[in-house]
Amino acid sequence: MDYSLLKQLHLATLAITLTLFVLRGIWMMASSSRLQARWVRIVPHLNDTVLLASGIALAFTLGLSPLDHSWLAAKLIALLVYIGLGTIALKRGKTRAQRIAAWVAALLVFGYMAAVAVAHNPLPFLQ
């Protein structure tokens, strides 16, 4: 697959991931039954799978390895933190306050990952 097409796919699925996460967070805070809709339990995971696959394909296409590029390693570690926080926010948080705090923290981690991707620096705010 062409680099520019891969990048566009990655960015599109990234936007969808963020939109769906924000929407599900709002529904969580509102205690909406919409969170139980079948598509809400399936579509985000399908999109996230395409997002991850396109990211791996981009790294492969560009010959990037997290062992050689600290910014990519930082992004992958942040991804694991984001997934953990997202799980707490939308499923595993014991209280509403815990879920909201995890949701906000996940959004901050998401912003960090975006900054790292743009700056190609694991400390993008210290440049």
Side-chain angles (χ1 to χ4, degrees):
M1 186 179 268
D2 175 68
Y3 167 77
S4 63
L5 186 57
L6 267 175
K7 186 174 179 181
Q8 287 177 349
L9 176 64
H10 190 67
L11 293 175
T13 54
L14 181 71
I16 293 167
T17 288
L18 179 59
T19 300
L20 290 174
F21 186 70
V22 168
L23 183 60
R24 290 184 298 157
I26 291 168
W27 287 343
M28 173 270 298
M29 288 185 276
S31 299
S32 174
S33 61
R34 291 181 179 136
L35 276 174
Q36 303 312 313
R38 183 171 169 83
W39 76 267
V40 174
R41 294 189 325 259
I42 295 170
V43 171
H45 300 296
L46 292 175
N47 183 75
D48 291 348
T49 299
V50 175
L51 174 61
L52 182 59
S54 65
I56 291 168
L58 276 170
F60 183 77
T61 299
L62 295 172
L64 300 175
S65 166
L67 299 175
D68 298 327
H69 297 86
S70 59
W71 68 270
L72 187 54
K75 205 172 143 185
L76 290 173
I77 292 166
L79 175 62
L80 296 175
V81 172
Y82 169 78
I83 290 168
L85 289 168
T87 300
I88 293 167
L90 299 175
K91 292 181 184 176
R92 303 215 187 320
K94 294 186 188 327
T95 67
R96 187 172 183 270
Q98 283 179 349
R99 291 190 308 271
I100 292 170
W103 181 73
V104 170
L107 289 173
L108 291 171
V109 171
F110 192 97
Y112 167 77
M113 287 188 296
V116 167
V118 169
H120 290 187
N121 184 333
L123 300 171
F125 305 114
L126 298 180
Q127 288 186 352

